[in-house]
Amino acid sequence: MRPAINGEVDDYAVEHAVLNHAGEPVRILSEGRVVERAADGRALRAVGTNRDISAQVRTRLALRDSEAQLRRLIDNLAAGVLVYGADGSIVLSNVHAQQLLGLPLRRTAERTMADPQLDFIDEGGHLLTPADHPWRQVLASGVPLRNRVLGIR
């Protein structure tokens, strides 16, 4: 808000905590615009709104905690996990997958589903043809594949 008061910008959005009439903390989002300034540029008058965003903040914190818990679970699995995005890039991998691929995390993210260096094998150890790769089947059908165990050679 300081930049708006000092004349650097006209619009502002500030999240802050206040106490409600019962003395309980509430998260507020104040958004507005300076509509009148003094000759030196300082704000004289602003219009805007104050919204109670306590529920959204609680949801955001719960999501962050849930994501951290899921990340710990994935990182501690005794199996390699690779999660691909719709563009074919690896969006999530755990330590075991990185060790199996022989790559650090930053390099794992550079790999894609179509990476020729990743040979997928089925549970019997047979090499999958490109058409049999699960990601191709999912993209072609739009239906998730479940309970499919694969290896990488």
Side-chain angles (χ1 to χ4, degrees), residues 79-84 88 90 92-103 108 111-128 133-135 148-153:
V81 176
L82 295 175
V83 178
Y84 291 98
I90 297 173
L92 177 78
S93 65
N94 68 356
V95 172
H96 290 288
Q98 294 162 32
Q99 290 170 345
L100 289 168
L101 293 172
L103 296 170
T108 304
R111 295 291 182 100
T112 67
M113 291 183 262
D115 193 329
Q117 297 173 359
L118 297 179
D119 290 328
F120 289 92
I121 56 174
D122 63 18
E123 289 182 274
H126 303 100
L127 187 64
L128 295 180
H133 287 199
W135 65 271
R148 181 97 190 260
V149 177
L150 297 175
I152 297 175
R153 180 174 62 178

Side-chain angles (χ1 to χ4, degrees), residues 1-14 34 37 41-43:
M1 190 152 167
R2 182 78 44 211
I5 292 170
N6 293 337
E8 298 167 31
V9 297
D10 289 330
D11 297 326
Y12 64 89
V14 180
V34 175
R37 295 191 179 278
R42 287 180 301 119

